Structures are given as structure tokens and as C-alpha cells.
Amino acid sequence: MAAGGGAWVLWLRGLTWAGAAARCAGSGPSRVARLQAPGQLPACRQKSSVSFLSRSDRPNIAYNKIKGKNPGVVFLPGLNSNMNGQKAVALEDFCKSLGHAFVRFDYTGCGSSDGNLQECTVGKWRKDVLSVLDELTDGPQILVGSSLGGWLMLHAAIARPEKVAALVGVAAAADYVVSTFKQLPLEAQKEIEEKGEWKLPTKHNEEGFYCLPYDFIKEAENHCLLNSPIPITCPIKLIHGMKDEDVPWQVSMEIADHVLSKDVDVILRKVGQHRMSEKDDMKLLVYTVDDLIDKLTTQA
């Protein structure tokens, strides 16, 4: 089924590694071997040697970087997440095996980066992404954004079109904090405004909620994208689980409908959940990035 201009939905019940390799057979034996090699994708890894991007006017950003060929890959984590998650590490190991550049980093106030999380905003994190692109990368980049990172990758592609060659969203959460808040009853919105904070329900921490300052929500309204056409023309892959209880898969469909790019694929995993961290989910992610690297390299 089509989603807007040129955006197609692929409904995948499952994906085997061998099947992904077979679809790449036209790219030569060495490429197939690379795809078959990661029989075990890495689990969450403890922090290795961390570098810091110093900024005179903003907190320092913690990052890990691998030098290599272009296009490079930059991973953007989700809300309250960090650069040591399974998806980031799996992509880093894959890019290293290909000899391509890779960067993963922590937003201000998150992980090993400096700053106070309670003072952070979507706008500040957007500037973090642009700092990483400007200071830590050279040449064309593929941005891989998970959840909130999927929202921020869209902003980066708008601000740095000459640098962003392609996008991969994983449960991309464009506008979602704002749209979820506005779906609350007016009485609940007023109560949150008076208290100055919103306890956004989640299954991803022990508390069962993310505590978001009301000012965070109001500032985020300045960065909403789904109210008008999104001026992005590069290739885009949007992967989303249909069992996602945090960000509905329909958000990826909305993104596909709003971007100007005609080269858009929406890939739905029937049993996929929000974090998309099961073994087959990550195989799909790695295969998708590999496919874009092959496409961009061929076009170069």
C-alpha cells in the first residue's frame, strides 16, 4: 500500500539474515559474506573510551567515533537514552567491519555528556546534533534516529541538507511529546501546567514514567514538523513496530506523507515493539543501513 508520494509500506512478519544476504547477492560475494557474518549481534556494551566535544557556549558532548569511508553513519538515541544501547553498538560494529565512519553520542544532560537533564529542551538537543555533524563528521552522512532521535534527524536534514545523504528512522517520534500532551483532556493539561511537570507513562524505567517539565513541552511546540510539508529530499527509510505502545506506527506514515522526498520506504514489523531491540529487529536495521550505503556508494 502506498503512503503519499512514492512512500511504500513493507509489512514484514520476519526477516532472516540469510534472506537479507540473498537480496544483496548482486553486490558481490564479499558483501554477502559481510551480511552473513554477524551471527550474534552485540548486547549492550559498557562504555569504552569516551571522547568529548568541547563547546565554548554549551556543555561538552560525550561521543565515540570510528574513522572511515563515506558515507558515514551517525546514531541519534531516544529520550532518556544514551549511546551505549544495542542498536548503536550493533551499527558501530557493522560500520567498523565495512570500513565506514561512525559516530554515536550522548545528548546534553544524558549519559556521559555534561549538562542538567532538567534544563534540556528539544531545541538544545537539536543543536547538539548539528554540533556533532559540523565538528565530528566529514562528507555525506546517513543519520539513524531512534524515537526522539528520529524527530531530531529530520531537523538535522533540514538544517544541513548538504551533509545529510539519507535518513533511517526507528520508531521515529516526530512531534510526539507535543501531540500526546494535546490529546490529554483540557483539565489534565491545566493541572500539568499548574504543577509544572508531566509524568509521561513509560515501561522503559523503574518509575513507570518520564518526568518532563511543562516548559519542555511548550518549547517542543516550536519544533513540530507534521503541520506542513517537510523540506527533505534525500532517501528515507522508516522502520516501525506495529506493537509499539509508545509511539504508534502511524507516526512514521505521517512523516512519509509530509516529507518532500519521493524516495521513502516505511517498513512495518508486525511484532516489533518500541525499542526494536530484538535480534531480528537489529538485523533489519543493519541490513537497511547497508542497503543505503550500497545505494549511495553506487551513485557517487
Side-chain angles (χ1 to χ4, degrees), residues 87 112 159 161 211:
K87 293 186 289 292
S112 298
C211 189

Side-chain angles (χ1 to χ4, degrees), residues 133-145:
L133 276 176
D134 293 343
E135 303 297 331
L136 300 180
T137 69
D138 295 303
Q141 303 294 312
I142 298 171
L143 305 189
V144 180

Side-chain angles (χ1 to χ4, degrees), residues 9-297:
V9 178
L10 307 180
W11 186 359
L12 303 183
R13 292 176 180 266
L15 180 76
T16 63
W17 201 246
R23 281 192 284 277
C24 275
S27 299
S30 61
R31 196 168 191 83
V32 174
R34 284 203 305 271
L35 281 169
Q36 290 173 325
Q40 296 291 329
L41 287 172
C44 186
R45 179 192 300 166
Q46 295 297 317
K47 289 183 292 185
S48 55
S49 58
V50 176
S51 301
F52 287 89
L53 173 61
S54 297
R55 302 183 294 177
S56 60
D57 58 339
R58 300 186 185 282
N60 297 336
I61 296 176
Y63 70 92
N64 278 29
K65 177 180 178 179
I66 295 176
K67 294 181 180 180
K69 299 179 292 186
N70 286 331
V73 177
V74 181
F75 183 80
L76 285 62
L79 180 66
N80 282 10
S81 187
N82 60 59
M83 63 175 165
N84 295 308
Q86 291 175 302
K87 293 186 289 292
V89 173
L91 286 174
E92 179 181 74
D93 288 348
F94 183 68
C95 288
K96 188 174 183 179
S97 75
L98 297 183
H100 278 262
F102 180 82
V103 176
R104 54 188 170 104
F105 68 99
D106 289 332
Y107 304 123
T108 296
C110 300
S112 298
S113 287
D114 296 342
N116 183 348
L117 179 60
Q118 291 301 308
E119 297 175 356
C120 290
T121 64
V122 172
K124 289 180 179 179
W125 287 335
R126 173 186 175 275
K127 290 179 180 178
D128 289 349
V129 178
L130 296 183
S131 292
V132 168
L133 276 176
D134 293 343
E135 303 297 331
L136 300 180
T137 69
D138 295 303
Q141 303 294 312
I142 298 171
L143 305 189
V144 180
S146 177
S147 193
L148 171 77
W151 186 4
L152 295 173
M153 77 177 185
L154 297 173
H155 277 286
I158 294 169
R160 300 289 188 273
E162 73 288 350
K163 203 75 176 281
V164 178
L167 300 174
V168 178
V170 183
D175 300 9
Y176 196 62
V177 169
V178 175
S179 60
T180 303
F181 177 77
K182 289 185 175 180
Q183 288 171 8
L184 297 174
L186 291 177
E187 296 81 2
Q189 293 184 37
K190 186 66 175 178
E191 182 179 354
I192 291 168
E193 180 179 0
E194 291 172 352
K195 288 184 176 180
E197 67 176 22
W198 178 28
K199 293 183 177 180
L200 175 65
T202 180
K203 295 181 179 180
H204 304 304
N205 63 19
E206 294 181 359
E207 293 80 8
F209 59 85
Y210 293 134
C211 189
L212 300 178
Y214 180 72
D215 289 344
F216 177 93
I217 303 164
K218 297 304 293 182
E219 193 277 341
E221 292 179 358
N222 299 322
H223 306 286
C224 288
L225 295 171
L226 297 178
N227 297 320
S228 59
I230 303 173
I232 298 174
T233 58
C234 67
I236 304 173
K237 307 287 187 182
L238 299 168
I239 304 171
H240 218 123
M242 297 182 75
K243 299 296 184 182
D244 190 334
E245 296 181 358
D246 295 274
V247 181
W249 57 265
Q250 288 87 348
V251 174
S252 282
M253 298 294 291
E254 287 189 67
I255 295 170
D257 280 336
H258 282 81
V259 293
L260 298 183
S261 176
K262 302 299 182 182
D263 188 356
V264 182
D265 293 325
V266 178
I267 305 169
L268 299 179
R269 288 276 297 163
K270 185 175 181 180
V271 297
Q273 300 185 29
H274 181 65
R275 287 193 168 178
M276 294 291 289
S277 57
E278 295 298 320
K279 184 176 178 181
D280 282 348
D281 297 333
M282 288 192 291
K283 287 178 180 179
L284 173 60
L285 173 60
V286 170
Y287 171 72
T288 301
V289 171
D290 181 74
D291 185 54
L292 281 171
I293 289 175
D294 186 43
K295 179 176 183 175
L296 295 172
T297 302

